[in-house]
Amino acid sequence: MIELTFLGTGTSNGIPVIGCHCPVCTSTDPRDRRSRTSAVIRDGERTMLIDTATELRLQAIAVGLERVDAVLFTHAHADHTSGFDDLRRFNELAGRHLPVYAGVETAASLRERFAYAFVDQFAFYGGKPDLTLEIFDGPFDLFGREVIPIPVRHGRAVVHGFRFGDLAYVTDAKEIPPASLALLRDLDVLVLNALRERPHPTHLSLSEAVAIVEELQPRAAYLVHLSHELGHADAETQLPLGIAVAYDGLTVRIGEPGELARNADAPVL
């Protein structure tokens, strides 16, 4: 069984936004409090972290995350990497180096910005991140499961989503090329970004994301990377059956064929 927990579901500013008093930023609905987008995949006994969002420490504490076996990076933008240094605690807990998986462009950026994490400096774990950098250019094996990178366009940047069996996680997309769309078919669960109702030059809008979901026809879809222009409850009223807005802390489990379970607070699709 694969289990997905949404650590964060907000855009680069997070919600509430500093100095903003809009209805979403002042909402009393806990689902409208969104930290930066990241997630955890649990596959059997293994735990994979997707991105190190700015609030990684707080996200991990909120969901009781105490183990990370590998980290997968979608891209190197700050809201997806600024919690990078908090990986050192997972080194300390595990007593070993952690592998980090990234595409070519993302790997180069990580090595430049966090060079200290990829060299051994201390005779103990926990003083800094201690990582090995694994660069992918196609599907790769991760603890016995094939992971399929899904390249998408985010302005000028190439972002990688990931497919784990019948689950795919895609964030910060504006364009999904035909070859990548083909990799997203026949899914139980698709996670996709939807920034706001208005068009945006580098992110999918709500209607654009819905159109992609309707084309791909997964059994269920969850939207992430929402800005403060979309309140949780209002956004869900605009969505067709089978598409829901994710929120921080939501857990979805994908098991045997025909089985799709959610935590007690998750929407029924």
Side-chain angles (χ1 to χ4, degrees), residues 189-253:
V189 173
L190 171 63
V191 178
L192 189 63
N193 62 286
L195 186 73
R196 63 192 190 193
E197 293 182 70
R198 295 184 295 127
H200 188 275
T202 63
H203 291 272
L204 292 169
S205 68
L206 186 65
S207 61
E208 289 170 336
V210 169
I212 290 172
V213 173
E214 290 181 334
E215 177 182 352
L216 293 173
Q217 291 292 304
R219 290 183 58 214
Y222 292 86
L223 303 182
V224 296
H225 213 283
L226 276 69
S227 79
H228 64 152
E229 294 187 28
L230 284 173
H232 186 100
D234 288 343
E236 289 218 316
T237 65
Q238 304 179 51
L239 296 175
L241 186 67
I243 307 178
V245 178
Y247 54 85
D248 293 20
L250 172 65
T251 294
V252 178
R253 290 174 291 277

Side-chain angles (χ1 to χ4, degrees), residues 71-73 84 87 97-115 117-119 130-136:
V71 186
L72 288 72
F73 279 98
F84 191 91
L87 291 175
H97 287 60
L98 296 179
V100 166
Y101 292 81
V104 174
E105 294 178 10
T106 301
S109 180
L110 293 176
R111 189 179 291 279
E112 178 181 2
R113 290 159 55 191
F114 305 108
F118 302 104
V119 295
D130 281 302
L131 311 173
T132 60
L133 187 57
E134 310 291 337
I135 302 174
F136 58 74

